[in-house]
Structures are given as C-alpha cells and as structure tokens.
Amino acid sequence: MTTQTSINPATGDIIREYPVHSPDQVQKAIELSHRCFGQWSKTTFDQRVQALLKVAEVLLKNKDAYAKTIAQEMGKPFKEAISEVEKCALCAKYFAENGPKFLSDQSIATEYRKSYVTFKPIGIILGVMPWNFPLWQVFRFAIPSLMAGNTALLKHASNTPGCAMIIESVFKEAGLPEGWFQSLLIPGNRVEEVIKHPHVAAITLTGSTPAGRSVASLAGKYLKKTVLELGGSDAYLILKDADINHAIKTCASSRLLNCGQSCISAKRLIVVPEIKEKFERGMVESFRGQKQGDPLDAATTIGPMSRADLRDELHKQVQESIKAGARCLIGGEVPKGKGAFYPPTVLTDVKKGMAAYEQELFGPVAVIIPAKDEEDAIRIANDSAYGLGGAVFTTDLARGEKIAAERIQSGLCFVNMMVRSDPRLPFGGVKESGYGRELSAFGIHEFVNIKSIVVA
C-alpha cells in the first residue's frame, strides 16, 4: 500500500489520496515525539490547562469545516458531526478544569514520616483508532494523555486519513509543541513497527474484538500496557412497566445514531410479552419516518454506512437471520444506486443461534428478542460474549437501578436512557468488549506511573 484513499461513502467518489508514511518517516516521528516528551513532561499543570483550553477554542472555531470532512469521509450526517466536534471541545474543557485535581499527589496514612502517591507521565501513547467517531475516539485518549504530560501518536483507520490530518492540525493551530501529536498514515499490518519501539510506552485501541486481540498480543510480546475498547452488542431491556413510548423513542435514536455504527448503540432489544407488539409497531413507525440521504443535506436523519463492504457484510447477517426464522418488519434490502446505503431495518423474533443474536450487527438494524419474563430478559442480556453497555427501561427506578448495578454484565448500564460516553464517567467494557477505562479520573490514571513515595 502506497496511498490511503478517502472515499465518499454516499457517492463512491474518491475525495483524495494520501501517501502512506515510509518506515523511515515513522521512525523519525517516534523520535520527534520522544524529544517532545522530554520537554512536555516537565510542564506545569497550568501550562497544560492553557493548552487544553486553546485546543477547545480551535475545535469550536473550525467546527463547521471539521464536521464537513467527517460527513464526507465516513458518511455521518452533518448535524451529528457538529455534535461530535463540540463533544471533543467539551472533553478538553473538562480535563482542563479537573485534570490538575486528578493528577495531584494523594497522601496515604502510614507510620512513616511522609507517604504519598504521585502520578507521573510515562512517554508516548499510541492510539489505534476507528472510523465511526473519527474525532471523538481520538480526542478521548489524546486529551487525558496531554493533560498527564504524555505525547501521542495516532494510527487512524485507513478510510479516514483526512480526519487524521485535521486532528493533527488542531494541535498545531493550538500552539502545542512540534511532535506532541502526530498522525501516522500506515496500514494495520505495520502497527508492530510502532509498538515495538522502546520509546512507545503504551497503546490504546478502539475497534473490533479481533483487532483488540491482535494489538494485545503484540503489546504482550513487547511488554507494553494496553487499554482496549472493543465491540459491543448492548442489551436494552424493556420491561412490562416501562414508559413504552419513551422506550421506543430512545431505542430508535440509539440504534440509528451514526447509522447504527456505534459500539454502544442499542443492538439487542429484549422485550417481555406484555409490550412486544406495541414495541414492534413503534419501532417500525420510527424507522419508517427516517430520511436517508446525503450527509450534508440538513433534512437527512441517517446517512450511508461508512463502506460498501461493511454494508454488504451487514446485509449478509440480516439475510442469514431471516433464513433462520427471524421476521423482517421493515427494510432488509440493499437499495439500488450509488453509495453504501442500507435502510433502517427491524428484525423480530430473533432467537439464540441466529446471526442477529450471536454477532454484533454494526449498522441500522434493530434486533428484537422476545423474553418470557423479566428474569429471562436478564438471562438473555448476559448471554453474550460482549459486555460494553446496557440499559433497562422501567418506571420502578429502584428495581431498574438494582438490575443495572447488580445483574447486567457490562462496563456501563443506564436506566431509562441510551448508553453514551461522558468525560465525567469512566468508559469501557468487560468480557470480549475489552478492558481498562477511558475518560474521568479512572481514564487519566491508565497512562501514568502511579508512584509511591515514602520518607522514613
């Protein structure tokens, strides 16, 4: 591979081709990042705070241009892309306000004259990031890393090189030292040459479970720490006492956000018999009301999928599920014409053994799974290799909270709302959804040396 090609998924047209970085260019980038770390790690908290505030300022000033690149390169509707850029700015402001507190020394009571824990930067953090939230996924690792005193390298998805380059430009425009953040345009089969470099301290990856296994294996080989945020097949439990209209609206919004291409969207909608038919009708009505089309058209509510091959794989999963006995209530057919479009689709009567039950469906397909009762719904929710997020819908808030806190096997679980990431809360999963946490105090502590100091 000598170039990375940016293709508009709504039209199939080539936007631009970017030259892949040579091994020599990659090594020079790592050395530059290491030299920058030697300086940046010695900056004060106040200097880092000012840098974060400047990053937020640049993001907001240029948000329309950045959102247009996102929309054209991976198909996200423009208004969703604007929200993504604004969330990146919010993250920068949050860690500017709270980073010093998260990183301040913590005194520990012992019999010694003095004992405390200090949090020190560790070096270069490599981010291996996906295309579905091409700015947000990057900033949620880069901002805490910056605040902690580390430097960053990005290996972005090969279909979003334009986004990779505008992210690099954000930090340059914000006045960060040369080498603090650099984008490496390389294919996945060259990630090892970065991981094995002695100056690279840790790796964070957001992506598929197979990608996580691959990177974790390499990191283990070279004894580098990792944080992995991997696939998800989030279960949303709709119980018989739920506010059904609210549940329908929330589940539909969650499933169709970003054309369903989100690790934490409502992948498995588990319903009890008392509300099954009404829930099905509501989901069909909601999906039928969507306008699919050009991401830059203000009337568009759902854009194309990011790539045609991903659309085709999703369609295969849908067809396999239908052949196995699932009922398709709406959608399920590849539209004619250009672009990687797939219609909002609702499958119901999905059962164990079907592709829609066992696998992650990464696209605008709602999967309705019937449960015998509440206990069976909880069993089905946990009957998955994944454990990223989940949600419970019920008007009994105490019971909903108990189910969320004690019964659902996931890294996040929300009651009566869609799962979402928030800079204030730790984000990550269990089981095959990965390990480690991003965001909040827990996230910023992933890539620091948590160092004990004792004075006798």
Side-chain angles (χ1 to χ4, degrees):
M1 179 187 290
T2 57
T3 62
Q4 289 187 352
T5 305
S6 176
I7 298 175
N8 186 330
T11 64
D13 296 335
I14 293 177
I15 300 171
R16 182 178 169 184
E17 292 189 346
Y18 296 80
V20 166
H21 289 142
S22 68
D24 184 58
Q25 288 174 310
V26 169
Q27 293 304 307
K28 287 180 179 178
I30 295 172
E31 292 299 331
L32 176 59
S33 186
H34 179 63
R35 291 195 299 273
C36 182
F37 170 70
Q39 301 170 347
W40 186 253
S41 60
K42 297 180 177 63
T43 55
T44 65
F45 284 160
D46 185 62
Q47 287 173 305
R48 298 175 202 170
V49 165
Q50 294 308 311
L52 291 182
L53 294 176
K54 184 62 178 177
V55 168
E57 180 184 317
V58 171
L59 284 164
L60 295 176
K61 182 180 72 173
N62 300 324
K63 64 180 180 181
D64 285 0
Y66 298 156
K68 185 176 180 181
T69 298
I70 295 171
Q72 290 179 321
E73 195 163 54
M74 59 74 56
K76 191 190 305 287
F78 183 74
K79 59 186 177 182
E80 289 186 18
I82 286 285
S83 295
E84 180 174 340
V85 179
E86 290 174 342
K87 190 171 185 178
C88 295
L90 177 68
C91 182
K93 292 179 180 178
Y94 176 77
F95 281 98
E97 294 171 0
N98 296 280
K101 176 180 63 178
F102 295 156
L103 297 167
S104 294
D105 295 347
Q106 294 184 13
S107 179
I108 305 294
T110 66
E111 70 275 21
Y112 305 115
R113 185 187 306 271
K114 190 176 185 181
S115 52
Y116 62 97
V117 173
T118 189
F119 305 95
K120 298 302 180 184
I122 57 175
I124 301 171
I125 312 301
L126 170 64
V128 181
M129 294 292 129
W131 45 262
N132 57 335
F133 291 90
L135 262 66
W136 170 241
Q137 308 278 19
V138 177
F139 278 88
R140 78 183 191 195
F141 100 82
I143 290 298
S145 297
L146 166 60
M147 186 65 227
N150 297 310
T151 55
L153 294 172
L154 169 66
K155 187 281 177 214
H156 217 324
S158 295
N159 61 318
T160 53
C163 289
M165 299 317 294
I166 65 172
I167 295 169
E168 185 175 298
S169 75
V170 170
F171 292 104
K172 287 181 179 178
E173 187 173 340
L176 270 290
E178 183 185 9
W180 184 85
F181 181 99
Q182 297 171 91
S183 290
L184 305 178
L185 299 185
I186 58 173
N189 61 12
R190 287 181 52 198
V191 168
E192 183 172 3
E193 71 186 70
V194 185
I195 293 176
K196 72 180 182 181
H197 197 288
H199 291 332
V200 174
I203 306 95
T204 178
L205 176 141
T206 297
S208 68
T209 299
R213 288 195 179 100
S214 176
V215 166
S217 177
L218 289 172
K221 178 180 177 181
Y222 297 107
L223 290 179
K224 307 292 178 74
K225 183 177 182 180
T226 52
V227 168
L228 304 178
E229 192 269 280
L230 308 178
S233 190
D234 287 10
Y236 280 40
L237 281 66
I238 300 91
L239 305 182
K240 64 181 180 181
D241 66 341
D243 179 336
I244 191 69
N245 292 327
H246 171 70
I248 290 167
K249 181 179 179 181
T250 305
C251 290
S253 296
S254 174
R255 193 64 194 101
L256 295 180
L257 180 69
N258 204 35
C259 197
Q261 300 166 121
S262 170
C263 294
I264 52 171
S265 68
K267 303 273 176 56
R268 296 178 296 140
L269 307 175
I270 305 171
V271 297
V272 294
E274 293 87 345
I275 52 89
K276 179 175 181 285
E277 289 187 9
K278 185 175 182 179
F279 184 80
E280 289 173 342
R281 290 195 302 271
M283 289 296 292
V284 169
E285 182 180 349
S286 181
F287 275 38
R288 184 177 287 124
Q290 303 299 316
K291 186 180 186 308
Q292 191 165 31
D294 181 358
L296 296 178
D297 185 340
T300 294
T301 59
I302 178 172
M305 292 184 62
S306 186
R307 299 198 314 258
D309 63 310
L310 299 175
R311 185 269 313 275
D312 295 343
E313 175 61 26
L314 176 69
H315 183 58
K316 180 182 177 183
Q317 292 171 306
V318 169
Q319 292 304 305
E320 287 177 350
S321 299
I322 293 172
K323 289 177 183 177
R327 289 191 297 126
C328 183
L329 303 181
I330 188 173
E333 296 293 336
V334 177
K336 295 180 180 179
K338 296 191 300 182
F341 291 97
Y342 198 75
T345 298
V346 177
L347 298 179
T348 192
D349 294 337
V350 173
K351 298 177 181 178
K352 189 175 180 65
M354 297 180 183
Y357 185 103
E358 306 291 347
Q359 302 169 16
E360 178 182 20
L361 270 59
F362 214 63
V365 180
V367 174
I368 299 176
I369 303 174
K372 297 176 184 178
D373 51 31
E374 180 178 304
E375 197 62 29
D376 191 41
I378 295 171
R379 179 192 65 79
I380 293 170
N382 292 329
D383 186 26
S384 172
Y386 298 105
L388 188 53
V392 181
F393 290 84
T394 173
T395 51
D396 186 338
L397 298 184
R399 188 166 99 260
E401 182 181 353
K402 186 176 181 64
I403 292 171
E406 300 178 9
R407 305 294 304 280
I408 304 300
Q409 299 167 4
S410 63
L412 312 93
C413 198
F414 290 26
V415 178
N416 292 333
M417 67 177 291
M418 71 171 69
V419 180
R420 61 185 65 189
S421 57
D422 185 317
R424 298 168 296 182
L425 297 169
F427 185 88
V430 296
K431 300 196 282 187
E432 291 189 12
S433 289
Y435 52 76
R437 292 296 180 264
E438 296 180 292
L439 305 174
S440 77
F442 296 94
I444 203 170
H445 287 161
E446 289 282 5
F447 295 129
V448 293
N449 177 10
I450 303 174
K451 189 175 185 179
S452 297
I453 306 298
V454 174
V455 179

